[in-house]
Amino acid sequence: MTSKNASAASEPATSLTDKEREAIAQMPYEEARDKLIQAVQALEAGGLDLDQSMRQWEIGEALAKRAQSLLNEVKAKLDAAQAEQANSADTAGTQSNLD
């Protein structure tokens, strides 16, 4: 097996185009969440052939990763704000907070 074949074998096959992946990567949280719900509902409803099911699953995976990434960003910002607030609480009401 050549290195090209080895790298292709290590990457999962996908039916999503680069354009679709880019669109998902730019989605705000609410849109990604809503589209993820739609993908899950389509899978739960059944009636899809194997290719359609795999496509819905791939879309769902990409949307879930996008939504989780956005949630992680918000959590990091909240954690930083809480840490800053905790640090400033030590000096609240003292002269040192005027420095």
Side-chain angles (χ1 to χ4, degrees), residues 4-99:
K4 183 178 179 181
N5 290 342
S7 66
S10 66
E11 295 176 17
T14 181
S15 65
L16 297 180
T17 65
D18 289 341
K19 186 176 180 180
E20 288 171 320
R21 289 189 178 284
E22 182 61 29
I24 290 171
Q26 300 301 316
M27 280 183 191
Y29 172 78
E30 294 79 7
E31 184 178 358
R33 178 201 60 212
D34 292 347
K35 288 187 181 289
L36 174 57
I37 290 168
Q38 291 171 1
V40 170
Q41 288 173 339
L43 287 167
E44 288 177 339
L48 302 174
D49 65 27
L50 182 58
D51 288 338
Q52 292 169 327
S53 294
M54 284 302 301
R55 180 160 172 74
Q56 286 300 312
W57 181 80
E58 289 174 356
I59 290 169
E61 282 289 315
L63 291 165
K65 286 178 184 176
R66 173 64 178 160
Q68 188 60 56
S69 172
L70 291 168
L71 289 173
N72 290 345
E73 289 175 19
V74 170
K75 184 179 183 323
K77 289 177 184 178
L78 288 172
D79 289 347
Q82 287 177 336
E84 184 178 329
Q85 187 178 30
N87 289 338
S88 65
D90 294 337
T91 60
T94 67
Q95 288 295 318
S96 60
N97 70 345
L98 300 176
D99 295 334

